[in-house]
Amino acid sequence: MASTIQRPRVEQSVFLGFVWGGFAVAIICCGLRCLARIRTFKKLLIDDYFVLLALSLVLASAITWQIFARDMYYVLGVSAGLEMPGEDFSQVAGDYFKATLAVIILFYSALWCIKISFLLFFRRLGNNVRGQRRIWWPVFGVTVATYFACIGSIQYQCLVSSFEYLAMNCATPAATSFQQITLKLNCAWDVLTDCLIMLIPFSMLKGVQMRWHRKLALAGIFSLVVITMVFAIIRTALVGSDNRTQPDSSWLYLWSAIEASVVACLATFRNLFSRESSRPQVEKAAAPGSSNMFLRGSRRRIKMSDILDSLASKPDNSGSGYQEQSEDASDAQSDNHSHGIHSLYEVPRAA
């Protein structure tokens, strides 16, 4: 007995509009990220290249859908009984399923490129924090392992086999149930890795001596990963709600495109930091060679010079860790900043 096929929930024009609209927003955000990084550090770092790789994968996915979206809606229409199959149906269906395989691989690869980008950024952030590598490497290992688990759980035999095999073996309740289970399992791996990645910066904040509202500011930035977790859960909840029916491909891949675009946009969170124009009182409190970074959106102009300088320069071996510097002592201790990262925040005194 074949499982029930859902009729498409999304029109083809709407589907392609979301695919290309999401990519357009992502490329704008990534462009701003790269521009800010080049203006600040005069170069791109390795985590930037992983973001650009993810963006290229999202572009490849959008191009694939531009070519094969018509075939998808043709196959969905015939499967749902909305239109009669033509003589070329088996050939079109075979091409569509192969395109689907490419899109799935591109989707997971783009998501995990962003995860690796976050991991590399946090690794540089914690270069001078004791014990961070003992946390970073296990998280990195789990992240890489879950990527290959997601790629390995794809139903390859139902995407690259002949149309006759697909009709006989891939529309059964067992095949549908397997597809639903892997969809939810891959969502769980996605959320798990995001949670593990969040542990890295929060473990650094735990040992930092600073005012609570400043910790909350950094915690809010580090918690941006939660947004990707929410989209992953929404995507799975909306698409995989019924194990007895095959997921609507238009609905599934629409939310996949949205999630990939949102993740690519959130990878630009480093743009929350920007170079501030120099002022006499700022230069007085800044370390030699400091990048004069400030956190946007804060009521007080909080300088991030030391921690962001660690992203652009080689770490030293002082191993001193992070420690907040009081406003009254900022001038007296400014000469010591070049010997290591001694403060997470500095607040310049009013002139």
Side-chain angles (χ1 to χ4, degrees), residues 264-308:
C265 292
L266 287 179
T268 65
F269 80 101
R270 281 280 290 106
N271 286 332
L272 290 167
F273 303 101
S274 66
R275 181 181 296 273
E276 180 71 3
S277 58
S278 59
R279 296 181 299 175
Q281 64 268 31
V282 172
E283 294 298 330
K284 184 177 181 181
S290 166
S291 57
N292 291 337
M293 294 290 181
F294 290 81
L295 180 62
R296 287 182 182 171
S298 177
R299 293 182 179 178
R300 306 179 66 182
R301 309 184 80 78
I302 302 174
K303 191 153 70 74
M304 300 289 294
S305 58
D306 290 319
I307 193 169
L308 292 174

Side-chain angles (χ1 to χ4, degrees), residues 30 33-34 37 44-58 109-121 136 140 143-144 147 263-264 267-268:
C30 290
R33 171 199 174 103
C34 293
R37 186 62 69 95
L44 296 178
L45 301 179
I46 186 171
D47 54 309
D48 298 311
Y49 290 109
F50 272 92
V51 173
L52 293 177
L53 176 58
L55 183 65
S56 65
L57 295 175
V58 174
S109 299
L111 256 61
W112 261 255
C113 279
I114 298 299
K115 295 177 190 292
I116 297 298
S117 175
F118 273 95
L119 281 170
L120 293 173
F121 172 72
W136 191 89
F140 176 79
T143 301
V144 173
Y147 168 73
V263 170
T268 65

Side-chain angles (χ1 to χ4, degrees), residues 226-236 255 258-259 262-263:
V226 173
I227 299 178
T228 68
M229 296 165 57
V230 170
F231 271 89
I233 294 172
I234 291 176
R235 167 178 169 267
T236 304
W255 278 99
I258 293 174
E259 182 182 353
V262 168
V263 170

Side-chain angles (χ1 to χ4, degrees), residues 170-275:
C170 298
T172 62
T176 301
S177 178
F178 179 82
Q179 186 176 6
Q180 293 280 4
I181 291 173
T182 55
L183 179 65
K184 295 171 182 176
L185 184 60
N186 291 346
C187 174
W189 286 333
D190 188 6
V191 173
L192 172 64
T193 52
D194 286 341
C195 290
L196 292 176
I197 292 171
M198 285 178 58
L199 287 178
I200 298 175
F202 279 103
S203 66
M204 288 189 287
L205 283 179
K206 183 179 179 181
V208 173
Q209 298 178 6
M210 65 170 63
R211 296 185 181 93
W212 65 270
H213 65 275
R214 298 179 184 176
K215 278 193 175 184
L216 287 179
L218 272 184
I221 296 172
F222 296 150
S223 298
L224 290 175
V225 182
V226 173
I227 299 178
T228 68
M229 296 165 57
V230 170
F231 271 89
I233 294 172
I234 291 176
R235 167 178 169 267
T236 304
L238 292 177
V239 175
S241 57
D242 189 354
N243 290 335
R244 296 171 298 178
T245 60
Q246 290 187 354
D248 173 20
S249 297
S250 65
W251 195 238
L252 171 63
Y253 296 121
L254 172 68
W255 278 99
S256 297
I258 293 174
E259 182 182 353
S261 300
V262 168
V263 170
C265 292
L266 287 179
T268 65
F269 80 101
R270 281 280 290 106
N271 286 332
L272 290 167
F273 303 101
S274 66
R275 181 181 296 273

Side-chain angles (χ1 to χ4, degrees), residues 105-158:
I105 295 176
L106 290 171
F107 169 72
Y108 286 120
S109 299
L111 256 61
W112 261 255
C113 279
I114 298 299
K115 295 177 190 292
I116 297 298
S117 175
F118 273 95
L119 281 170
L120 293 173
F121 172 72
F122 291 142
R123 184 185 183 186
R124 295 179 66 87
L125 205 62
N127 265 342
N128 291 343
V129 181
R130 296 187 182 94
Q132 281 304 299
R133 292 189 178 183
R134 291 196 297 268
I135 301 176
W136 191 89
W137 279 109
V139 173
F140 176 79
V142 171
T143 301
V144 173
T146 52
Y147 168 73
F148 287 107
C150 289
I151 298 299
S153 65
I154 299 173
Q155 291 178 294
Y156 291 96
Q157 70 278 11
C158 289

Side-chain angles (χ1 to χ4, degrees), residues 332-340 342:
Q333 297 182 6
S334 62
D335 294 335
N336 296 328
H337 290 200
S338 59
H339 301 294
H342 293 285

